[in-house]
Amino acid sequence: MPTPPKAGGPVRPEPDAAGAVGLQQAPVIERNLRAALHALEATGQSWLLLRGQDDLARPTGDVDILVASDLLPILDDLLQAEGFRRVLAPGHGSHWFYFCYSATDGSWVKLDIVSEIAFGPYQQWRTSLAPQCLGRRVRRGPLWLPAPADQGWLQLLHLFLDKGQIAPARVDAARKAAEAASAYDFIACFVDHRMGQGTAAEILALVRAGNFNQVPATAASMASRWAGGTAAPRLTAARHKGLRLFGARLQGSGPVVAVMAPDGAGKTTLLRGLQATVPLPIKYLYMGMWGAGPWDAWLVKVPGGRSAKKVYRMLRGGLLERLYSLMGRLVLMDRVPYDALLPGTGAGGILEKMTNTVAFTVVQPPDLLLVLDVPGHVMFSRKGEHSPEILEGWRQAYRKLAGQLPGSTLIDATQGAETVLRQATGIVWNQVSQTAETGPGVDRESGSGAGSPGQEPSGTQGTGSGAIGALTSHLWRRLDWRFLLPDLQVSSVGYGGTTSPELKSALHLIDPAAAAVAPGRADQGSTYGVVLLSNPDLMDFKAAADAVKPGGWMCVEVRRSLFRRSGPRTLKGWKHALIRSGYQDVSAYWNAPSLDRTARIVPVDSAAAIRNTLSLHKDVRFGAAKALAARLALMLHLFDLAIPEGTVTGRRPSAEEPQ
């Protein structure tokens, strides 16, 4: 089991089990954690906080939660709606890990959710204690906790079986656990049944007497006496140990984050800081084309040697970038081929132009590009290279380039390194959590931003009328799907899937009473005139299909994905799903170029509209090649399979209409 966080926070006075009022106070709970616990409570399913109830204001470790197994099918969507992102960790038994970043205080919240109580470094000693512990849970303010005796035994078994010792820092926790437990509790009976009669009493006597130096030997003896056959735990441990070799990963493809700036702006410092502080699966990738190498002295003597080295590094970097992303890692890219677009580059002749073309071909454009903005004289004072005038010229070139590149965000890097790191972490988290952003670098919690390409960077915070106007414009763009319906005036709206906070705000612009539609919610049974789904799974779709009023409409915004957990993987698949569910007037549309930056909504059934849209790609880098591939898919009648992002609409027939 995970290590318990350190104790220390206030709790509210409330009646204890006997009706007396204790000296406790209401717990202070971190905002994102409070939202997650509220979402769990709203499902009506059982859950409890395993430990650490005194460390919830700003958790220093994992927040350990036990949930009923019935919650597992909806857990991902439930917590993602509250801003959490799951990290898949094979080989950790029933442990599901979720992360959320709070830009307000620059801290991470980590949830370790289990549906089964298991012990051992590889969760190899499984138990059937979870249902009983959930059934015996007790209420403490907004929290559900194990019964005192259960909590004591779970703590003791964690120390003996997971840790194999009681470290000095855990002595007080062990003594309190032994005081709350007895040899006649139901977990004590389980311990005696599994590891021999008298084992529970032996544990309590050892801890109460303070003989902590005997704990390792007792723990080893308990492990060897685990009943139920020794082969099963060994096989479980071997399987989990093997699965852990694959490492943790994000669901789906990992985003690629790159940093651009002249030398001395702090690129490597920022990337190394992100690598050290972001608790997500990360791969750092250095893409330096001309970085020093052991063969440089030999390569300069060979015609084309340095260019060959550049091509090799680009090929290697491009392949690793794609591999790490497919493996679900957050890729931090140091150096990008975009440097070749700066004024004064590309003057090395046809060979350099060819190698630059190779670089743009094999290196995937980053999902997020952070451009550090530092005045020339500051960069000169940091490294003493070139001159303030040259560095200032480079700075202006990078600023101009940032305004032309997609996904770029300008950050004022004259601030302290910690401030820049915190600001960048918030921007990266917005990308990782796949929220619809109100603008590059905007902090959706505080309303402040890092600056947009083409704007003057500022270290101040706040939103003016321009920012509010941009926000409102963005929210209305998230309502483009309305133009696919016969009536723009929507009576009632429901939403589901991976709905971001910004999309929820947009929906409340047209229906202040817009509500979530999800399997297992307490308000299940309500119906709506329109239900909008954003990247749903199959359970989301089924819940939404039942929540549409007869004669109402369902709109499904989807991205093509080969790694979807459940449900169709293409636009065509979702179209057929609506038809199979009895919906009529089903249509599919291509959101070009993407759902977040839709410039055109193109009906898939209109070949003329598709060809007209593809013709607009001729001036985009590699747009001609993409358009050619799209035309080939159109000719082969596979376009609805090839579309990366789009919308499917369908009408639920009224009662009198034939199905």
Side-chain angles (χ1 to χ4, degrees):
M1 303 290 289
T3 302
K6 296 179 181 178
V11 212
R12 173 178 60 198
E14 66 177 291
D16 58 20
V21 176
L23 299 178
Q24 296 182 327
Q25 299 176 350
V28 178
I29 304 176
E30 194 275 337
R31 185 176 59 84
N32 295 292
L33 175 58
R34 184 174 65 246
L37 297 180
H38 179 75
L40 292 175
E41 184 69 13
T43 64
Q45 299 288 341
S46 298
W47 65 274
L48 61 83
L49 186 70
L50 282 169
R51 58 177 66 85
Q53 62 265 29
D54 299 325
D55 187 33
L56 301 180
R58 189 169 180 174
T60 55
D62 295 354
V63 179
D64 303 317
I65 300 173
L66 174 67
V67 302
S69 57
D70 291 342
L71 259 175
L72 297 181
I74 64 172
L75 197 56
D76 283 354
D77 293 336
L78 188 74
L79 293 178
Q80 189 165 347
E82 303 304 330
F84 284 80
R85 178 80 187 268
R86 184 180 173 191
V87 171
L88 302 176
H92 286 81
S94 71
H95 290 257
W96 289 19
F97 301 97
Y98 296 87
F99 292 81
C100 182
Y101 179 73
S102 173
T104 301
D105 55 15
S107 63
W108 290 87
V109 177
K110 296 169 281 185
L111 305 182
D112 181 356
I113 298 182
V114 296
S115 57
E116 175 187 75
I117 296 176
F119 299 100
Y122 296 101
Q123 290 79 47
Q124 66 266 39
W125 297 310
R126 303 174 63 183
T127 76
S128 57
L129 298 174
Q132 295 97 314
C133 288
L134 287 170
R136 292 160 49 87
R137 64 182 183 157
V138 295
R139 187 79 174 186
R140 290 292 183 268
L143 303 175
W144 287 103
L145 302 176
D150 297 350
Q151 192 167 27
W153 273 113
L154 292 176
Q155 177 69 31
L156 290 172
L157 293 178
H158 165 63
L159 294 173
F160 275 74
L161 294 175
D162 291 344
K163 301 299 179 182
Q165 62 176 344
I166 299 179
R170 304 176 192 270
V171 167
D172 288 342
R175 290 185 186 277
K176 292 178 181 178
E179 291 172 3
S182 78
Y184 306 101
D185 298 322
F186 94 93
I187 296 183
C189 295
F190 171 85
V191 170
D192 287 345
H193 172 72
R194 281 288 189 181
M195 288 166 276
Q197 195 66 31
T199 303
E202 179 186 1
I203 293 172
L204 294 176
L206 189 153
V207 174
R208 290 169 180 172
N211 298 325
F212 301 115
N213 60 331
Q214 299 178 21
V215 170
T218 303
S221 176
M222 290 169 61
S224 65
R225 287 185 278 131
W226 186 272
T230 57
R234 284 205 304 267
L235 290 175
T236 300
R239 180 166 62 89
H240 287 178
K241 188 175 182 180
L243 288 173
R244 291 186 189 185
L245 295 176
F246 293 97
R249 64 180 181 86
L250 297 168
Q251 287 178 316
S253 299
V256 179
V257 178
V259 177
M260 268 181 62
D263 291 337
K267 296 187 299 295
T268 303
T269 300
L270 173 58
L271 286 168
R272 291 299 186 187
L274 290 171
Q275 185 183 22
T277 60
V278 175
L280 300 175
I282 286 179
K283 280 292 185 179
Y284 179 90
L285 185 59
Y286 180 73
M287 298 286 292
M289 293 181 284
W290 301 120
W295 302 99
D296 286 357
W298 179 79
L299 286 173
V300 295
K301 301 176 182 179
V302 179
R306 296 190 71 226
S307 295
K309 171 186 172 182
K310 176 180 176 181
V311 171
Y312 164 75
R313 288 195 171 183
M314 287 300 100
L315 289 172
R316 175 182 175 275
L319 290 174
L320 288 176
E321 174 197 12
R322 284 173 167 79
L323 176 62
Y324 293 155
S325 178
L326 288 174
M327 291 171 61
R329 306 306 197 262
L330 169 62
V331 183
L332 300 179
M333 186 185 297
D334 193 346
R335 312 280 180 172
V336 284
Y338 288 144
D339 287 336
L341 301 177
L342 293 170
T345 59
I350 187 65
L351 191 59
E352 182 172 347
K353 292 180 180 179
M354 289 175 62
T355 55
N356 288 339
T357 301
V358 171
F360 281 108
T361 303
V362 301
V363 179
Q364 177 180 314
D367 300 291
L368 178 64
L369 179 64
L370 304 179
V371 182
L372 304 184
D373 183 57
V374 183
H377 68 276
V378 176
M379 288 185 280
F380 181 77
S381 66
R382 290 177 178 177
K383 298 193 70 172
E385 297 179 359
H386 307 292
S387 69
E389 293 75 21
I390 292 176
L391 293 171
E392 180 63 26
W394 288 350
R395 173 206 183 192
Q396 296 301 329
Y398 276 102
R399 287 172 60 92
K400 183 178 180 180
L401 188 59
Q404 301 170 352
L405 296 175
S408 62
T409 299
L410 203 64
I411 297 180
D412 179 5
T414 59
Q415 308 169 90
E418 290 187 3
T419 302
V420 173
L421 176 59
R422 179 168 166 175
Q423 191 171 359
T425 302
I427 299 169
V428 171
W429 173 247
N430 281 342
Q431 181 67 40
V432 171
S433 59
Q434 297 179 344
T435 57
E437 299 173 354
T438 58
V442 171
D443 180 346
R444 61 183 177 90
E445 295 178 321
S446 65
S448 63
S452 302
Q455 293 180 333
E456 286 295 324
S458 172
T460 61
Q461 295 187 355
T463 53
S465 59
I468 295 174
L471 172 59
T472 305
S473 174
H474 174 80
L475 293 181
W476 280 111
R477 284 199 300 273
R478 296 300 287 121
L479 302 176
D480 285 345
W481 51 269
R482 293 181 306 145
F483 296 96
L484 307 178
L485 306 181
D487 187 2
L488 288 176
Q489 301 299 322
V490 179
S491 58
S492 57
V493 177
Y495 55 84
T498 55
T499 312
S500 69
E502 286 75 17
L503 180 53
K504 293 179 186 177
S505 299
L507 295 174
H508 281 87
L509 291 175
I510 58 173
D511 179 13
V517 176
R521 287 186 64 90
D523 57 352
Q524 195 170 6
S526 302
T527 57
Y528 306 89
V530 172
V531 173
L532 175 68
L533 291 178
S534 180
N535 293 311
D537 61 17
L538 196 55
M539 294 188 66
D540 295 325
F541 176 78
K542 291 179 178 178
D546 295 335
V548 178
K549 293 179 179 178
W553 289 79
M554 181 157 62
C555 299
V556 187
E557 294 182 340
V558 294
R559 291 178 170 88
R560 184 185 62 219
S561 172
L562 298 177
F563 303 100
R564 192 182 302 279
R565 300 187 304 278
S566 65
R569 285 149 173 82
T570 64
L571 199 71
K572 183 175 183 178
W574 284 107
K575 181 179 178 180
H576 288 170
L578 263 74
I579 295 173
R580 286 194 299 269
S581 298
Y583 277 70
Q584 298 179 357
D585 301 326
V586 178
S587 301
Y589 301 88
W590 171 30
N591 288 68
S594 68
L595 287 167
D596 294 329
R597 298 191 300 275
T598 299
R600 286 190 170 200
I601 301 178
V602 186
V604 172
D605 293 336
S606 174
I610 293 173
R611 292 191 183 95
N612 184 43
T613 302
L614 293 175
S615 67
L616 301 177
H617 285 68
K618 62 182 181 179
D619 295 327
V620 180
R621 182 175 294 274
F622 307 119
K626 294 178 181 177
L628 179 62
R631 286 190 175 90
L632 180 61
L634 183 63
M635 183 179 65
L636 297 175
H637 302 287
L638 300 174
F639 192 76
D640 49 0
L641 291 173
I643 293 172
E645 302 181 35
T647 304
V648 181
T649 63
R651 179 178 59 86
R652 184 175 185 178
S654 55
E656 61 273 11
E657 289 184 88
Q659 294 285 334

